[in-house]
Amino acid sequence: MMIMVRAIVRPEKADEVLKALMDAGFPSVTKFAVAGRGKQRGIKIGQITYYEIPKTLLMSVVRDEDVEFVIKTIMEA
């Protein structure tokens, strides 16, 4: 069976994560530019609050037995 792994990362980290996945033998990834927020609830710069921050969504379909390894690889990168 196959599982889709989705990871939302900061745009400046996306290339590093993609390289780590490639080096680990998982080159097939779909990459999207997205906007959202996490625990930080946006960011305030001066008087302006940005509630949605640019992020990158990475999606990859992997075998069941590779899911934990792929997640670990993403988190370490």
Side-chain angles (χ1 to χ4, degrees):
M1 186 179 250
M2 305 290 277
I3 300 286
M4 181 180 291
V5 176
R6 288 173 272 190
I8 298 175
V9 300
R10 295 190 317 252
E12 65 270 15
K13 289 295 224 172
D15 287 340
E16 189 175 326
V17 174
L18 290 170
K19 182 180 181 332
L21 288 170
M22 176 76 81
D23 292 347
F26 298 93
S28 300
V29 178
T30 301
K31 178 179 164 183
F32 290 99
V34 296
R37 63 175 186 241
K39 293 178 186 178
Q40 80 275 12
R41 299 183 185 140
I43 188 169
K44 187 170 185 171
I45 300 174
Q47 298 291 342
I48 300 172
T49 300
Y50 298 94
Y51 293 103
E52 294 181 345
I53 300 168
K55 304 285 185 180
T56 300
L57 171 63
L58 303 174
M59 298 188 319
S60 184
V61 177
V62 299
R63 293 187 309 252
D64 283 355
E65 59 267 19
D66 295 328
V67 170
E68 294 300 321
F69 179 74
V70 168
I71 291 171
K72 182 181 177 195
T73 301
I74 291 168
M75 291 180 71
E76 287 177 356

